[in-house]
Amino acid sequence: MKFRSLGVALAMTAGLLAVPAAVSPAAAAEVLLSQGKTATASSIENGAMQAAYAVDGDLGTRWSSAASDPQWLQVDLGAKADISKVALRWEAAYGKDYKIQVSDDANAWTDLRTVTNGDGGLDELTVDGEGRYVRVHGTARGTGWGYSLWEFQVFGEEPGGPQQPCGTANAAQGKPATASSVENAGYPAGNAFDGDTGTRWSSAASDPQWVRVDLGESKNICRVSLNWEGAYGKDFKIQASADGNTWTDLKTVTGGTGGQASYDVSGQGRYLRVHGTARGTGYGYSLWEVTVNTTGGGVVGGGDLGPNVIVVDPSTPNLQQKFDQVFDQQEDAQFGQGRYQFLLKPGTYNNINAQIGFYTSISGLGLNPGDTTINGDITVDAGWFNGNATQNFWRSAENIRVNPVNGTNRWAVSQAAPFRRMHIQGGLNLAPSGYGWASGGYIADSKVDGVVGPYSQQQWYTRDSQIGGWLNGVWNMVFSGVEGAPGNSFPEPPYTTLNTTPISREKPFLYLDGNEYRVFVPSKRDNARGVSWPNTPGSSLPLTDFYVVKPGATAQTINAALAQGLNLLFTPGIYHVNETINVTRPNTVVLGLGLATVIPDNGVTALKVADVDGVRLAGFLIDAGTTNSNTLLEVGPTNASADHAANPTTVQDVFVRIGGEHAGKATTSVVVNSDDVIVDHTWVWRADHGEGVGWETNRADYGVVVNGDDVLATGLFVEHFNKYDTIWNGERGRTIFYQNEKAYDAPNQAAIQNGDIKGYAAYKVADHVDQHEAWGLGSYCNYTSDPNIRQGHGFQTPVKPGIKFHHVIVVSLGGMGQYDHVINDVGAPTSGTSTIPSQIVSYP
């Protein structure tokens, strides 16, 4: 985190700023139990505000009651469960006084939590109780209207303990089937369960209609997939029964659009039926196939994208409202638990301003940016922080063309906010309105037709892109493979420009092929320049090749999926893992949506990659747990030695955090042992603000340690570690752009003393290394606990012919500590409070 003006001295520090209170992390066994379950209410305002809408996972639908007291909403979890948390997302008509209650029979209720003088918004309540039914019982409204909830979520331990993995076998195939009707003899019920997508069941053209299958014995049903013919069901229920007479709802769908859909469910029964209540066309109901999966048969690939992925198209009603609802929640939720991904189907979206807050990503679903066009804006500003953009972290925009309303789009971000595969048909402003402080940032594979104006941005890295011009530079602006980039002119202006990027490979991304989700995996480019699109070389993988990981998934299931040969697609959410996620297969893709966050429990390493070719890690956050982990991410085992030059592993938009949301700890955050790895944009951050922050509280000695040979880092941000931020032990390493701050909270000089050296270097090349090269590096000190601390140098390296540094700076931020030198004992010391960098053009 930084506080900057255009070269003006600082007047404040992190320790003086108010930050949002952290939310306690969910326990490892905590699972969302209520979504899709049966809900009832004391009343509804009208037919468009049903009880079921409060448990459907859609922030665009809601339950609303009559305008009187008392009122209640209850959900049937289907079985008795241990309940640990309840979250209520109120609409403007909120409950001021209410109780959270639990019951075994929906008659006798026990109070778990009483709330008085609530103020609406999001209420996350820790509770402790058991029951099948959970309700919110309102006794006093906060407005003259009724009670209105966008979402009512109940969390806890799954009934009967954690579920076994959902199997891959179709338990319904070939089993006896019946239906309420058939269109004619050519479309019998059995056609929907014969495993043949060329045959179908079709009903009479009236409502309601149903088709059911006898599984032969009671099964634990975990997923039901429907493949609709053109005559689809708009409103329907998926139900289970023990005897074929009494039915339990597993899933209620309203406003369905047909095609293929997969629903994760939880329930038992011998009989499964699809019960339609409203047709989507003037014809009957027609299903090519119904697939039923049960527990115990392996991990299923594919399926839906989970509750926090919001898929829209240009005809989506109230689209601006959907963007606004998420932004209102996420604008200042710096250490909150919300995670969201907007996916925009190809088409043209008019008059949209998508404001992007914390842990929110927006992406187009076309193969090229131009397939998805916004005539409007994708905006990041800093109104939540009084015009200061230095904490606008953890968000992203990808694969969209934007025609800005006023000709210029604003993207005022700092670290961990990638801007990839974008086409701005106008200018791009990287500063907040008012041009306050900003500390970013990263652009790749993007085209900006107009001028990019960084204004107050102290540093920025742009890779393999095309721009119409670049306005200015503060301290450190780096370009590689950028058409239209300014020429090399460091230090005045501070531009570092490489004509090409030596090796690059763009990040994998989700897209739509017709109605089918697929993941495109771009190929490696050597000496790249300009954007990779259209016609990006690469390969395409069906979603069925991925385990779609959803909140509540365990490390055991994730590893079972990997062992089964599946890739991983983490949907937005927070994932506690009590064992290491092990990636052992070449070319495995691990892709996150909406800043999906992995938290290692019990001191384990969150993720390890074997010494294999072509693994792609992309788009997720690792947040250190409260028990110290020796490492958080390991790419390759110790002493890895295989040659991966033809097909390297890539680590892209993988961010690491120690502290901030809680008191995390890790000895070393990221270790790269394999050769030829490409680290393309990472922010490895020991928190300097938030919860659980202190010199020993969120202890983390080392940020990034590179042991592999021929490793390339493009866009390396590493900050605030107790000792070395980056150590490079491998040969022929290269870094293009490096940004660092030393730890703010070092208590005194003795705490950072490194033998005879004052302080640990931000970037150290080991003494035994013979070849290394780096371009565009900066280290800043802001020793807020003791401004008298001196840092001997920012960078440390052996002096050898094969080692070269280009364009390096150190900066004292407002005189809060000083550097004696830039590299080793070379470079002028910083001094005073003027926040003026000391610079070296080349070393040695």
Side-chain angles (χ1 to χ4, degrees), residues 462-530:
T462 307
R463 177 183 64 73
D464 298 350
S465 295
Q466 180 180 335
I467 60 177
W470 192 272
L471 185 64
N472 71 291
V474 177
W475 291 339
N476 193 26
M477 302 288 161
V478 179
F479 310 84
S480 68
V482 178
E483 297 175 353
N488 237 326
S489 57
F490 188 90
E492 290 296 335
Y495 297 149
T496 300
T497 302
L498 285 72
N499 189 55
T500 62
T501 303
I503 307 168
S504 61
R505 182 168 59 198
E506 301 307 329
K507 178 183 172 184
F509 61 92
L510 193 69
Y511 75 102
L512 270 177
D513 182 9
N515 291 321
E516 179 188 1
Y517 287 110
R518 299 181 71 89
V519 173
F520 192 83
V521 184
S523 298
K524 180 171 75 79
R525 295 199 291 167
D526 295 321
N527 298 314
R529 181 172 173 81

Side-chain angles (χ1 to χ4, degrees), residues 696-765:
E696 297 294 342
T697 307
N698 63 326
R699 181 86 192 187
D701 285 351
Y702 308 106
V704 175
V705 177
V706 179
N707 298 318
D709 295 337
D710 300 295
V711 172
L712 171 66
T714 52
L716 186 58
F717 300 73
V718 189
E719 298 189 296
H720 307 150
F721 286 85
N722 295 73
K723 293 184 178 179
Y724 291 112
D725 297 279
T726 299
I727 304 174
W728 211 291
N729 294 313
E731 287 289 353
R732 297 175 299 281
R734 291 176 289 185
T735 295
I736 303 173
F737 182 90
Y738 182 78
Q739 186 269 326
N740 165 263
E741 278 186 349
K742 297 304 298 174
Y744 286 12
D745 55 349
N748 49 51
Q749 188 74 48
I752 64 163
Q753 192 67 23
N754 182 15
D756 295 334
I757 301 173
K758 300 173 188 173
Y760 291 81
Y763 187 108
K764 173 181 170 62
V765 179

Side-chain angles (χ1 to χ4, degrees), residues 481-674:
V482 178
E483 297 175 353
N488 237 326
S489 57
F490 188 90
E492 290 296 335
Y495 297 149
T496 300
T497 302
L498 285 72
N499 189 55
T500 62
T501 303
I503 307 168
S504 61
R505 182 168 59 198
E506 301 307 329
K507 178 183 172 184
F509 61 92
L510 193 69
Y511 75 102
L512 270 177
D513 182 9
N515 291 321
E516 179 188 1
Y517 287 110
R518 299 181 71 89
V519 173
F520 192 83
V521 184
S523 298
K524 180 171 75 79
R525 295 199 291 167
D526 295 321
N527 298 314
R529 181 172 173 81
V531 298
S532 70
W533 46 270
N535 303 318
T536 303
S539 58
S540 177
L541 302 174
L543 194 61
T544 51
D545 284 356
F546 287 78
Y547 171 44
V548 181
V549 193
K550 298 172 188 171
T554 64
Q556 291 80 10
T557 303
I558 293 168
N559 279 325
L562 289 167
Q564 203 173 294
L566 292 172
N567 303 294
L568 300 178
L569 180 69
F570 280 91
T571 65
I574 297 175
Y575 300 87
H576 283 261
V577 295
N578 59 5
E579 64 181 48
T580 299
I581 298 171
N582 287 300
V583 179
T584 60
R585 180 176 56 85
N587 301 311
T588 299
V589 177
V590 180
L591 178 62
L593 301 177
L595 277 298
T597 301
V598 179
I599 301 177
D601 293 327
N602 306 320
V604 302
T605 298
L607 191 148
K608 293 183 179 181
V609 179
D611 195 22
V612 295
D613 273 357
V615 172
R616 276 84 157 178
L617 308 180
F620 56 92
L621 169 66
I622 297 175
D623 197 358
T626 54
T627 300
N628 186 75
S629 293
N630 187 49
T631 58
L632 295 173
L633 172 64
E634 293 184 24
V635 183
T638 302
N639 299 320
S641 59
D643 183 355
H644 307 294
N647 186 12
T649 285
T650 50
V651 181
Q652 300 177 285
D653 302 345
V654 174
F655 309 122
V656 176
R657 181 172 72 193
I658 302 94
E661 198 273 334
H662 53 256
K665 293 182 175 68
T667 303
T668 303
S669 294
V670 178
V671 180
V672 179
N673 290 316
S674 286

Side-chain angles (χ1 to χ4, degrees), residues 163-168 219-223 265 267 293-298:
Q163 293 180 342
Q164 296 176 341
C166 198
T168 58
K219 302 276 189 180
N220 292 316
I221 302 167
C222 53
R223 181 172 295 165
V265 299
N293 300 121
T294 59
T295 56

Side-chain angles (χ1 to χ4, degrees), residues 1-5 10 12-15 17 388 390-391 393 414-415 437-440 458-459 475-476 682-689 695 700-704 716-726 737-746 752 760-763 777-784 791 793-795 809-814 816 819 835:
M1 180 195 71
K2 326 289 174 304
F3 301 99
R4 312 283 185 267
S5 65
L10 304 181
M12 55 171 38
T13 65
L17 295 174
N388 179 345
T390 59
Q391 292 184 30
F393 313 139
S414 287
Q415 290 84 355
W437 298 325
S439 178
Q458 72 173 57
Q459 79 268 312
W475 291 339
N476 193 26
T682 186
W683 185 36
V684 182
W685 185 63
R686 175 181 168 265
D688 62 313
H689 65 277
W695 184 248
D701 285 351
Y702 308 106
V704 175
L716 186 58
F717 300 73
V718 189
E719 298 189 296
H720 307 150
F721 286 85
N722 295 73
K723 293 184 178 179
Y724 291 112
D725 297 279
T726 299
F737 182 90
Y738 182 78
Q739 186 269 326
N740 165 263
E741 278 186 349
K742 297 304 298 174
Y744 286 12
D745 55 349
I752 64 163
Y760 291 81
Y763 187 108
L777 302 91
S779 177
Y780 322 132
C781 71
N782 187 35
Y783 288 118
T784 56
Q791 180 78 24
H793 46 236
F795 301 87
I809 68 169
V810 295
V811 183
S812 167
L813 305 181
M816 304 300 285
Y819 289 90
T835 315

